[in-house]
Structures are given as structure tokens and as C-alpha cells.
Amino acid sequence: MKVLVAVKRVADANVRVRVKADGTGVELDNVKMSMNPFCEIALEEAVRLKEAGKATEVIAVSIGPAKAEDTLRTALAMGADRAILIQADGRVEPLAVAKLLKAVTEKEGVDLVLLGKQAIDDDSNQTGQMLAALLGRGQATFASKLDIADGVATVTREVDGGLQTIALPLPAVVTSDLRMNEPRFASLPNIMKARSKPLAKTQAADYGVDVAPRQTVLKVEEPAGRKGGAMVGSVAELVEKLKTEARVI
Amino acid sequence: MTTLLIAEHDNEVLNAQTAHALTAARALGQPVHILVAGAGCAAVADAAARLEGVERVLLADDASLAAQLAEPVSALIVGLAERYDAVVAAATTTGKNLLPRVAALLDVMQVSDIVTVVSPSTFKRPVYAGNAIETVETSDTIRVLTVRTTAFDAAGAGEAAPIDTVPAAADPGLSRHVSDEVARSERPELAAARIVVSGGRALGSKEKFDALMLPLADKLGAAIGASRAAVDAGYAPNDWQVGQTGKVVAPDLYIACGISGAIQHLAGMKDAKVIVAINSDPNAPIFALADYGLVGDIFTLVPELTEAL
């Protein structure tokens, strides 16, 4: 079974990004970039499938600027066998990413595609579902547990109000939630080894996919601020203020 | 043309989030139809028909729709879509699972988690865990939107709209429902609660979480939330998680106990009307947001607060 994992390069989860003064976007110059945390989880799951003898090959793919190569090297260091960089500059929307991933999935004869449930930059939560739709395959989103047996993926999903388990025949698309696993750290020897693993560089145009955005960002602004910062000295004072000042209890 | 709103329900009860999403759907300025897709869900259609400003309810009642799996429901919606120029759903796990599949089948980009309708094709939405608000204009002729329900008031009651029955699409058979593990609770639903009390890693164990948070919640008639750290440590079930990757809440009162206030947590609660923080660390980021901050030991202060209410 071949597994494809889609990974995205995003501003690091611990960075508090700032909106540019001219309102055209957020400031990403000199900001630490990392692999999207949900993508790390998806990749970890793929590597575990290989270690369990269920996957024969793990292919990592990333779509974005030339620098996304760093993210793919991280994926290789974590255990992916080879990587594909699809270079595309500027804003690439989930629909275009899904179309590119469909092309790769079909070309490589992939049985399972693993993605993160959302990227922490655009917070869209769309790509996996769109890919499943375009492939005409089943989808299991927000997965916290994945079992593969006899060509069927049995997936426990985190849904509002609890957990839901569904089963889908392969090929299928699964998106990872936070609690699926604890991603490993790449060891130094593995980082060194990753340098010599194959990494194919391609262009979005090679796949015949139009990546022109459907949406125009008119403005990016700071969220409305809160005043905050008022301290109270005791529980009695807190209760008094909640009753008389805030009037919420 | 017309807007199609997808009802959120469990085949028995119409979820309150639908009434919030309806307000956003009506802001598009077109008549609104509500689709109720499920099995044995006639009562849900009746409830949807009585929401204010609904022109028509479409009821698709079929065994293949019982678990509202994305594949058969999206096939149904795509079959109906030529009559509509907008498809809208609440940004719940059901809506988030379903709508991008619909969008891709229609070859359009979805606008996720909208918080403001600027015009029928322009919307505001939070990005970067709510640290920036993006205004986007879509060029797609069919708008596919999920709605952050805490940003819109619930629609009220209106005159009963007619209910039409529509057939389910042929079941594509791409997935099968196996089982549900539902966390039953006597408390108000987290996303809709007027008061939320929330606990973090500082509680130290599930026993202490329960001992401190449950009495406080019960005293206030509040729903209980938790930080990711508390959920990952097993102090609370995962559907209690508040934050960028959990639930987004905007109650009248949010009481954060032993929560430092990581960016990802703040993304889920910073639109609460009043925020109270109780934490032993006076430098915790949560205090920069809190309307009322109290520094001290949560194991003393939380029981004291419960007692004082």
C-alpha cells in the first residue's frame, strides 16, 4: 500500500503573527516557519503504518514556494521515503491544492492520502474533503484513530458531542486531528540521511492545473481588541463585580 | 435566486446552531430554503419550518442519510444546487466535513467560518487562530459558506413554512457508519451556553478537575470547557476542548481556571462578553484579555468562588 502525505509550510504555531500596517496581509518576513502541526501528525501516522508493515512506501508532497523544500526535508527526516515539491508562488487555495494532489495521487497509484485537518495559517479545513470529492473517494475527517485491514480503513472521528467510527474502502482520504498520535522528533542522523533521499521538484503547470485564486483578499485587519487587564483582589470582590458591574450572574 | 441552508440535527432535534447560521444566510439577501437530510427526521423539518424568514423546507428522509455521512449528503446537495446560488452551513464538525466536498463537486472555493457578511460575495473571516481578520471577495457564482455561529444572533420563530419532500441521491457507498460514542451531558451545550467555566493543565488530574470544575459549573448552570493541555492529559473529554482546533464559544461569561492563555486557546473564547481568569501566575497571557483577573491558588480560590455564588 502506497501512502501519500500532504504537508504545508506555515508560520510556526508559537509565533504570534502581526498584521501588516498597510492591511495587505500578515508579516511573514523573518518569522520562523515550520511544518503545520496537523501535517506532522498525518506524516507520523503514515510512518507508523510503514513500521507496522502495512504501507510499502510513504511519499510526502508539498505545494508552495521553493522554501517548502525545507518542510519536505523534515518529512524525509521523520521517515518519508521520498518527496515531491510542487512549486507555486503566491496564494494557492485549497481547491487548487486538492486538484494538484488528485493529479499526484492518480499518477503515483496511491491507496491512502493522509492530510492534516486544517492549516493553522488560513484555518480553512477544506483540502482533504475537496480531494476526496475530486477523486470520487470516501473521506474520514478529524481522525483520532486509524486501523487498516483487508483494504478497509476503519476510522474514529472527533465530532461535536463525542466520537464517531466509520469504515471506508481504500483508496480513501483521511485527515488527522490532534489526538491521532504524538509526532516524533527527527534525530540528527535521520536529518543527515534525509539529505540524500529523493526529492522531485516540479511546477504546478506540469500538472495542467490552474492555480489562479478564486478569492481576492481585499483587506487583512487586526481583530477588535479587548481592554482586559483589570485585577481584583479577592473572590468577594470578583463576585460583587460580576453581579453589579458586569451583571452576568 | 435562493440560498440553501443545511440543517444541523441528530435526526430528532434541530440543533440551535442552525438558527444562528440562518441569520447569516438571510444576510445574503435572498429567500432561504433549509435542507433537512437524515432518517426519521420529520420533527426536525417541522422545527426548521418554524424559524423566522424560512421560505421552504426540503426534507430528504432516507436510510442512506441516517448518519449524515459526507458522501451521500453531498451527492444530494449537488443534485439540488443548480436551483441555488449559495449553500450555507454552520461551521460545526458536520458542516466542516460536508461543505468542502460539496464545493469541490461544484468546482467552487468555499469561504470557511465567516463572521461578517459584507455583501453577497464579500465576507470577513478569522485566520491565524483569530489573530487577523481577512476580508475576502469570491468570484465563484455559487457561494459555499460555513458560518461561525457565535458571530451571528439566532433567528427567532416565524410562520410555518411549507415542507417539500425530496428524494435522496443514489448512495455512492464510499463509506459506512460503524458506531457512535456520544458524551451525554446534563449540562448546557458548550457552543450555546450562556456561561462557560473552563479548566486547564494546572488542575493536575481528572479527579481534581471534576472536584473543582463540576460544582462551579452546576452552581452557575454553566457548560464546562477545557484547554487542549487538560484534554490531552485526560482530565476532560475531547469534545470539551475550547480553541482554534476545538470549539469556538462566545458566552456572556467565560471563567478560565488554571489556563495560561496560549494563542490557540484564546482563538476559541476571546469573543466572550466577560472573561474572568483565575491563575497563580500573574504574568499569564490570559490576564491581558481578562476583564477580571484574580491571582492565586485555584485549589483555594475556585471552591471559594463556588461557595460565594
Side-chain angles (χ1 to χ4, degrees):
Chain A
M1 179 178 79
K2 268 194 195 180
V3 182
L4 183 74
V5 186
V7 296
K8 186 176 185 183
R9 176 178 180 265
V10 298
D12 189 88
N14 298 310
V15 173
R16 193 194 188 293
V17 298
R18 299 195 182 282
V19 174
K20 286 184 188 169
D22 64 2
T24 56
V26 300
E27 191 55 71
L28 293 178
D29 293 344
N30 303 317
V31 166
K32 187 188 177 207
M33 305 294 281
S34 300
M35 187 188 295
N36 179 48
F38 292 98
C39 302
E40 287 186 333
I41 295 169
L43 182 64
E44 174 67 30
E45 196 69 17
V47 173
R48 289 185 189 188
L49 284 171
K50 186 164 182 208
E51 288 168 348
K54 292 186 175 172
T56 50
E57 187 179 34
V58 176
I59 309 166
V61 57
S62 193
I63 295 150
K67 287 220 164 188
E69 182 179 342
D70 300 347
T71 308
L72 288 170
R73 290 287 172 206
T74 305
L76 294 169
M78 285 175 68
D81 296 296
R82 61 188 171 97
I84 303 168
L85 171 65
I86 304 177
Q87 211 175 314
D89 290 315
R91 185 180 164 94
V92 188
E93 293 172 342
L95 182 62
V97 171
K99 287 178 179 177
L100 290 165
L101 292 176
K102 172 181 190 267
V104 174
T105 303
E106 289 175 342
K107 182 163 176 274
E108 300 286 347
V110 167
D111 305 287
L112 175 69
V113 187
L114 278 161
L115 305 89
K117 80 164 175 178
Q118 77 192 63
I120 59 167
D121 52 0
D122 65 15
D123 283 334
S124 289
N125 195 331
Q126 300 178 16
T127 307
Q129 296 89 314
M130 287 182 154
L131 173 61
L134 297 176
L135 290 169
R137 302 308 313 180
Q139 67 186 51
T141 51
F142 326 139
S144 56
K145 192 164 179 281
L146 168 66
D147 284 317
I148 305 253
D150 305 324
V152 174
T154 303
V155 183
T156 300
R157 308 176 54 231
E158 297 200 357
V159 296
D160 294 339
L163 300 170
Q164 179 191 60
T165 301
I166 60 174
L168 42 173
L170 299 178
V173 177
V174 176
T175 75
S176 62
D177 213 320
L178 281 172
R179 276 164 287 274
M180 192 174 207
N181 58 49
E182 185 79 36
R184 71 193 65 190
F185 289 102
S187 65
L188 188 59
N190 285 343
I191 292 170
M192 303 302 282
K193 269 186 232 157
R195 288 187 188 169
S196 54
K197 284 188 180 176
L199 192 154
K201 291 181 187 174
T202 63
Q203 300 286 331
D206 300 344
Y207 298 86
V209 172
D210 177 11
V211 297
R214 306 287 186 87
Q215 298 173 356
T216 312
V217 178
L218 303 178
K219 188 169 63 175
V220 178
E221 59 199 316
E222 293 268 356
R226 295 187 70 96
K227 48 179 181 17
M231 305 303 275
V232 294
S234 67
V235 165
E237 190 188 343
L238 173 63
V239 173
E240 173 65 20
K241 293 215 166 180
L242 289 177
K243 280 184 176 157
T244 59
E245 197 175 87
R247 290 204 286 259
V248 284
I249 55 170
Chain B
M1 289 281 275
T2 313
T3 297
L4 182 66
L5 172 65
I6 315 303
E8 172 87 17
H9 66 92
D10 62 0
N11 290 322
E12 289 167 16
V13 179
L14 179 69
N15 189 294
Q17 308 241 34
T18 306
H20 292 265
L22 174 58
T23 301
R26 291 182 73 197
L28 297 173
Q30 303 288 340
V32 177
H33 294 180
I34 296 188
L35 172 67
V36 176
C41 53
V44 178
D46 287 340
R50 288 193 301 271
L51 289 173
E52 187 184 2
V54 175
E55 191 185 71
R56 191 164 287 281
V57 171
L58 309 182
L59 170 60
D61 200 323
D62 190 272
S64 68
L65 302 170
Q68 298 171 51
L69 296 170
E71 297 85 359
V73 181
S74 55
L76 165 68
I77 294 169
V78 169
L80 298 168
E82 62 179 19
R83 286 183 260 163
Y84 297 94
D85 56 2
V87 180
V88 180
T92 56
T93 49
T94 311
K96 289 174 179 174
N97 184 42
L98 175 64
L99 247 59
R101 190 172 180 102
V102 171
L105 292 172
L106 296 170
D107 193 31
V108 305
M109 253 299 291
Q110 171 178 299
V111 190
S112 295
D113 237 355
I114 61 165
V115 294
T116 307
V117 177
V118 179
S119 80
S121 59
T122 309
F123 309 94
K124 290 191 182 191
R125 56 177 304 264
V127 292
Y128 287 93
N131 285 306
I133 307 293
E134 192 176 77
T135 304
V136 290
E137 183 177 32
T138 175
S139 61
D140 284 316
T141 49
I142 302 179
R143 274 71 48 79
V144 176
L145 313 168
T146 61
V147 176
R148 178 166 290 195
T149 51
T150 56
F152 295 90
D153 291 334
E159 304 221 347
I163 299 173
D164 293 341
T165 305
V166 293
D171 186 356
L174 294 168
S175 65
R176 181 172 60 81
H177 180 258
V178 176
S179 63
D180 286 320
E181 195 179 309
V182 181
R184 283 269 168 236
S185 173
E186 302 298 309
R187 296 189 180 81
E189 194 200 353
L190 183 54
R194 201 182 69 78
I195 301 178
V196 173
V197 299
S198 206
R201 194 203 320 253
L203 285 152
S205 70
K206 185 182 186 306
E207 291 67 36
K208 286 176 187 163
F209 191 102
D210 289 352
L212 257 65
M213 302 309 295
L214 304 191
L216 179 62
D218 291 342
K219 203 70 172 269
L220 289 164
I224 304 184
S227 69
R228 180 192 165 187
V231 172
D232 283 352
Y235 306 168
N238 53 31
D239 52 310
W240 288 6
Q241 186 184 322
V242 171
Q244 182 185 20
T245 61
K247 289 206 178 68
V248 177
V249 300
D252 288 348
L253 175 60
Y254 188 90
I255 305 181
C257 306
I259 293 177
S260 63
I263 299 170
Q264 292 80 3
H265 184 76
L266 303 183
M269 45 64 81
K270 66 192 172 64
D271 291 321
K273 285 204 182 70
V274 175
I275 297 172
V276 171
I278 306 175
N279 205 301
S280 58
D281 175 7
N283 298 317
I286 189 92
F287 286 124
L289 232 75
D291 299 278
Y292 303 105
L294 185 56
V295 177
D297 180 9
I298 49 168
F299 297 104
T300 315
L301 293 174
V302 175
E304 202 183 313
L305 175 61
T306 306
E307 192 61 32
L309 289 165

